[in-house]
Amino acid sequence: AQKVTQAQTEISVVEKEDVTLDCVYETRDTTYYLFWYKQPPSGELVFLIRRNSFDEQNEISGRYSWNFQKSTSSFNFTITASQVVDSAVYFCALSEGAGGSYIPTFGRGTSLIVHP
Amino acid sequence: NAGVTQTPKFQVLKTGQSMTLQCAQDMNHNSMYWYRQDPGMGLRLIYYSASEGTTDKGEVPNGYNVSRLNKREFSLRLESAAPSQTSVYFCASSGAAGLPYEQYFGPGTRLTVT
């Protein structure tokens, strides 16, 4: 069975600090996909990134970067120079292909609060 | 494009009442999902529809039924609401059945059962 752990329930930082949100996953499949979603205070979840298990290259998008390490089963998300608009709940999710369904399992989320 | 729409946005029910949550997507997606979100629990899958004409149970299906009315619409019904069903409900869609596409979410329905 697949499982996603986001051990940090809430993180509080001051604007311009860097912050890393941790995501640890468990799966028996060799082919799987990892996702990050953002849920701002407005409530609607927004897709941020998808990675497959065969691509361990780190990804950078502006102030956002993702570090995928199969050796530690982690897919961590770093926000550089955080801003108040980054305040949100962030979810990590895992999809594996057992049975061909690729139904994602979500972590419990990390609430990020960025203070001005 | 509207993406994924949900109605209503808010609802208060009394124990034992029934209601249907409506969801529609205009992205020509094959797969649709219903989740509930409770504090500290993340998103839990209630039901999903991999493609038009099929539905399957998720992690927490008890007390719910679904209908995939057509490719665009996927409704969630509470036949006899219970206080334990107080939650925020999200509908989502994704491109194709059996493929690990990202999901697109609706704005959510905040349901309170008293």
Side-chain angles (χ1 to χ4, degrees):
Chain A
Q2 56 190 32
K3 184 178 176 181
V4 177
T5 301
Q6 295 180 258
Q8 304 151 309
T9 304
E10 183 176 296
I11 301 175
S12 183
V13 299
V14 176
E15 208 169 19
K16 296 185 184 177
E17 284 186 38
D18 298 347
V19 58
T20 296
L21 283 61
D22 297 333
C23 174
V24 175
Y25 61 91
E26 295 177 29
T27 178
R28 294 179 181 176
D29 271 14
T30 55
T31 302
Y32 53 89
Y33 294 78
L34 295 159
F35 304 80
W36 276 96
Y37 290 85
K38 175 182 180 179
Q39 184 179 37
S42 59
E44 195 162 335
L45 283 93
V46 176
F47 164 75
L48 294 178
I49 190 172
R50 177 186 65 182
R51 301 295 283 183
N52 72 59
S53 54
F54 299 109
D55 184 1
E56 283 192 79
Q57 271 195 325
N58 291 336
E59 177 124 0
I60 298 174
S61 176
R63 296 183 297 105
Y64 293 175
S65 62
W66 291 269
N67 184 328
F68 176 28
Q69 290 197 333
K70 289 176 75 170
S71 61
T72 56
S73 296
S74 65
F75 185 43
N76 296 337
F77 174 29
T78 297
I79 302 174
T80 303
S82 59
Q83 299 177 2
V84 172
V85 293
D86 296 325
S87 296
V89 180
Y90 291 87
F91 292 95
C92 181
L94 166 69
S95 286
E96 57 184 16
S101 66
Y102 283 111
I103 302 298
T105 295
F106 285 80
R108 296 191 173 191
T110 296
S111 177
L112 174 64
I113 303 168
V114 182
H115 299 280
Chain B
N1 284 348
V4 180
T5 57
Q6 290 181 236
T7 55
K9 290 189 175 168
F10 301 94
Q11 184 71 51
V12 178
L13 291 178
K14 294 188 177 178
T15 299
Q17 288 185 318
S18 62
M19 77 162 296
T20 299
L21 282 64
Q22 306 287 354
C23 174
Q25 52 90 10
D26 63 1
M27 295 173 283
N28 201 35
H29 284 170
N30 285 305
S31 301
M32 298 185 74
Y33 313 79
W34 276 105
Y35 291 92
R36 60 178 289 173
Q37 183 179 22
D38 302 293
M41 297 298 292
L43 289 161
R44 292 185 292 171
L45 183 66
I46 305 171
Y47 271 93
Y48 67 97
S49 171
S51 60
E52 187 178 353
T54 69
T55 60
D56 285 285
K57 294 178 180 179
E59 180 185 354
V60 288
N62 290 347
Y64 305 96
N65 285 302
V66 291
S67 295
R68 183 74 183 266
L69 304 170
N70 47 54
K71 191 172 185 178
R72 290 187 63 249
E73 298 172 288
F74 188 39
S75 63
L76 178 71
R77 183 160 178 83
L78 286 71
E79 290 291 351
S80 179
S84 61
Q85 294 178 305
T86 293
S87 188
V88 181
Y89 292 85
F90 287 97
C91 178
S93 70
S94 66
L99 292 173
Y101 290 145
E102 61 271 19
Q103 294 177 312
Y104 292 83
F105 287 83
T109 295
R110 188 172 295 274
L111 174 66
T112 302
V113 183
T114 61

